[in-house]
Amino acid sequence: MEARIEKIKQQLQSKGYKLTPQREATVRVLLENEEDHLSAEDVFMLVKDKAPEIGLATVYRTLELLSELHVVEKMNFGDGVARYDLRSDSTRHHHHHLICVQCGAVDEIMDDWLTPLEERLEREFQFKVLDHRLDFQGICHRCKDKVQPPETE
């Protein structure tokens, strides 16, 4: 975790920003909850446990800054709530999501299946893709398993 914090600190410094204690507390919460897609309010509640002096506005500003600097990805899964996800060091692009329209669960696809399409776009349209997002909406396996077929008489 410390290596990732140091990398984020360098990203901020390269753009003229400092990793203040408030920003570091926010980054630590994101790192500790990397599997989740936290809203600003979720982040605030978790940060508040570590640093009670930090206000919600500070968390919002920090998340917006981290989003502008491409440290985090700001996403909306159709529920009107912005969620934040740390960008991975190991992948060129952000991962993709399976969004359940029944329970709201969000599962991740870590493979980048769109690389061949990006190469084709560049070859055929001279369009250099810098990033992309792919979200699938449907019924997750948990909800699908809950549905019992109607009994026949």
Side-chain angles (χ1 to χ4, degrees):
M1 181 187 296
E2 296 307 314
R4 299 228 10 229
I5 289 173
E6 185 59 34
K7 183 169 182 6
I8 291 168
K9 180 180 180 181
Q10 290 171 4
Q11 285 177 273
L12 288 169
Q13 287 176 338
S14 73
K15 302 291 184 181
Y17 296 96
K18 293 181 180 180
L19 184 63
T20 64
Q22 296 88 347
R23 290 174 182 159
E24 184 173 341
T26 302
V27 167
R28 283 187 184 277
V29 162
L30 291 169
L31 285 167
E32 290 166 0
N33 297 278
E34 206 165 358
E35 297 296 313
D36 302 320
H37 299 88
L38 301 175
S39 69
E41 290 80 10
D42 295 334
V43 173
F44 171 66
M45 295 307 289
L46 293 166
V47 167
K48 200 169 121 171
D49 291 341
K50 297 175 183 295
E53 73 282 358
I54 296 177
L56 180 59
T58 300
V59 171
Y60 269 110
R61 284 192 303 272
T62 298
L63 290 170
E64 285 303 311
L65 175 64
L66 294 173
S67 178
E68 289 171 20
L69 298 177
H70 303 288
V71 173
V72 298
E73 182 80 16
K74 183 177 180 179
M75 300 167 287
N76 188 321
F77 295 125
D79 59 0
V81 177
R83 300 188 188 282
Y84 298 88
D85 207 4
L86 280 168
R87 293 183 68 98
S88 173
D89 291 340
S90 61
T91 57
R92 190 173 135 221
H93 294 298
H94 196 62
H95 53 266
H96 310 301
H97 299 95
L98 305 174
I99 305 163
C100 181
V101 297
Q102 285 189 351
C103 70
V106 178
D107 296 317
E108 298 179 342
I109 301 169
M110 298 310 287
D111 294 330
D112 190 353
W113 296 332
L114 297 181
T115 301
L117 177 59
E118 288 183 11
E119 292 166 354
R120 182 175 173 194
L121 289 170
E122 186 164 4
R123 190 173 56 251
E124 292 182 22
F125 297 95
Q126 291 74 49
F127 184 83
K128 176 68 177 161
V129 176
L130 300 176
D131 205 354
H132 64 258
R133 275 192 53 196
L134 182 61
D135 298 333
F136 294 94
Q137 296 182 358
I139 310 296
C140 71
H141 63 90
R142 295 168 293 273
C143 290
K144 199 169 124 190
D145 291 346
K146 287 179 193 174
V147 177
Q148 299 293 335
E151 292 184 29
T152 55
E153 295 181 23

